[in-house]
């Protein structure tokens, strides 16, 4: 969960702020960081996200302020697919199905797909009424472009657009090279998937430059 109104940092962000390679940061500083900084994605598994205000204080050597209270639920909290599934008592594949049919909103990209708690609460309070789309707002009219799956998607994936921005920053010299491992850590995806995202980002960057 990304708490309402809070920004986050990845391990790559923290390592970069300390001027260290990711593997060295993990070996020397991860344990200390997690003792002093709130990890907001403790249940996510593959990707670790830390409260930005605290992480920035840690990397700059300042006193680390109190972190967010993760036990307080707020409407603007951003929930991961797993957290949405747990809240609704369904599986991750069913969450994706709900999005495809419009039974849940599409969500936003913040280190992976996320949904506001308010949208999940509304879905939960409405009950399972998929047979009455006019009452729930589920479903989309024929021809709606959001009905397209991955094969029919028009334009680059939002992650690729974001990574393309990092590639541009690397070309300007304002950051180091973008690696597949960094992309994997940033979005909590497999290394092979990160390679494909990076390839799509390079294509998007080239198309924007032409």
């Amino acid at each position: 969960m990304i708490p309402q109104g809070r920004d986050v940092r990845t391990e790559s962000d923290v390592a970069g702020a300390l001027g260290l390679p990711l593997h060295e940061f993990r070996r020397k500083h991860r344990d200390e960081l997690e003792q002093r900084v709130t990890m907001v994605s403790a249940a996510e598994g593959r990707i670790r996200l830390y409260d930005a205000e605290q992480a920035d204080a840690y990397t700059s050597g300042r006193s680390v302020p109190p972190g967010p209270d993760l036990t307080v639920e707020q409407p603007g909290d951003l929930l991961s697919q797993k957290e949405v599934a747990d809240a609704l008592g369904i599986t991750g594949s069913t969450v994706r199905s709900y999005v495809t049919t419009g039974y849940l909103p599409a969500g936003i990209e913040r280190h992976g797909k996320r949904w506001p708690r308010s949208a999940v609460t509304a879905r939960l309070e409405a009950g399972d009424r998929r047979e009455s789309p006019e009452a729930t707002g589920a479903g989309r009219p024929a021809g709606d472009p959001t009905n397209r799956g991955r094969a029919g998607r028009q334009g680059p994936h939002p992650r690729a657009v974001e990574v393309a921005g990092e590639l541009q920053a690397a070309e300007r010299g304002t950051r180091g090279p973008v690696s597949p491992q960094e992309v994997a850590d940033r979005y909590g995806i497999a290394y092979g998937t990160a390679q494909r995202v990076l390839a799509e980002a390079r294509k998007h960057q080239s198309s924007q430059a032409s």
Side-chain angles (χ1 to χ4, degrees), residues 11-30 177 179 181-182 185:
E11 286 186 294
S12 294
D13 294 330
V14 176
L18 292 172
L20 297 172
L22 184 59
H23 71 276
E24 186 175 346
F25 156 75
R26 287 174 170 166
R27 180 168 55 86
K28 293 183 176 180
H29 296 279
R30 177 193 268 179
S179 69
Q181 188 60 59
E182 177 187 341
D185 290 335

Side-chain angles (χ1 to χ4, degrees), residues 110-150:
R110 284 284 300 278
H111 302 288
K113 190 72 74 175
R114 297 181 186 273
W115 290 262
R117 186 184 297 279
S118 57
V120 178
T121 301
R123 176 73 278 131
L124 186 63
E125 292 177 347
D128 190 355
R129 300 167 65 191
R130 280 168 286 178
E131 75 285 355
S132 305
E134 71 284 352
T136 64
R140 301 187 180 104
D144 189 320
T146 55
N147 287 331
R148 297 187 180 96
R150 180 181 302 174

Side-chain angles (χ1 to χ4, degrees), residues 2 8-10 38-41 47-50 111 114:
I2 298 179
V8 292
R9 298 284 183 264
T10 64
T38 302
M39 183 167 64
V40 300
S41 65
I47 187 170
R48 301 187 182 202
L49 298 177
Y50 303 92
H111 302 288
R114 297 181 186 273

Side-chain angles (χ1 to χ4, degrees), residues 148-167:
R148 297 187 180 96
R150 180 181 302 174
R153 186 178 68 232
Q154 295 182 336
H157 192 284
R159 289 178 182 170
V161 175
E162 187 173 318
V163 173
E166 296 297 320
L167 290 172

Side-chain angles (χ1 to χ4, degrees), residues 31-46:
D31 290 345
E32 180 186 12
L33 177 76
E34 293 184 356
Q35 290 174 6
R36 301 179 59 189
V37 174
T38 302
M39 183 167 64
V40 300
S41 65
E44 298 305 302
R46 194 177 295 165

